[in-house]
Amino acid sequence: ILNVEQSPQSLHVQEGDSTNFTCSFPSSNFYALHWYRWETAKSPEALFVMTLNGDEKKKGRISATLNTKEGYSYLYIKGSQPEDSATYLCAFMDSNYQLIWGAGTKLIIKP
Amino acid sequence: GAGVSQSPSNKVTEKGKDVELRCDPISGHTALYWYRQSLGQGLEFLIYFQGNSAPDKSGLPSDRFSAERTGGSVSTLTIQRTQQEDSAVYLCASTVSSGVRLGTDTQYFGPGTRLTVL
């Protein structure tokens, strides 16, 4: 059974602090890893698609790294702002094109 | 350019009733996905359409669940004889498919339908 785990489940961060959280996935048959942001009362929004071991992606203050050999990806947020409050979802796709989603990390930025 | 829309946004129903959830994907997107998220759980894949056909129905949890897509556009997810465990947020997403299911395509999500079964 393929399993994608995200940790922590929730996270409170002071505004201005930097933070990071983890997506763990099977290290075999890797095809792609997606990160999405899901704000309350809105639709999930794509952040990154990562396909190669060692990939690093950046979008403003948010960046992500990928280690396919050990099966994890980190999402980093630098200088957290209130608008960063959301649930961050990762989705793992294997080489059979089966897509498995994590339960998400809920990030709350405290002013 | 309109995004993915879903209706209704909220649905409260009594156990045993049938419900229909609707998804309007982005115009021109050939692939359409249905997911649900129960409280505290990850996104659970339900069904995938390529055009009007559903090559993958593996995620439908029971035969009470069915879905169709017409004209390569609008999709309806029907739940018959609803049960309390069907309560969840039902999300629809569409993508421009290259013929490979998702792959590196970005999924564009609708706002979801929150279903509550009393």
Side-chain angles (χ1 to χ4, degrees), chain A residues 49-69:
Chain A
V49 178
M50 308 176 80
T51 57
L52 298 175
N53 185 44
D55 249 359
E56 289 190 32
K57 300 274 186 175
K58 188 174 180 181
K59 188 175 183 179
R61 294 178 292 98
I62 303 176
S63 61
T65 59
L66 179 68
N67 184 324
T68 61
K69 295 188 186 306

Side-chain angles (χ1 to χ4, degrees), chain A residues 36-38 42-46 89, chain B residues 43 91 107-110:
Chain A
Y36 283 77
R37 174 170 59 196
W38 192 0
K42 293 187 178 180
S43 312
E45 176 188 43
L89 298 168
Chain B
L43 283 178
L91 285 168
Q107 292 200 338
Y108 295 86
F109 284 84

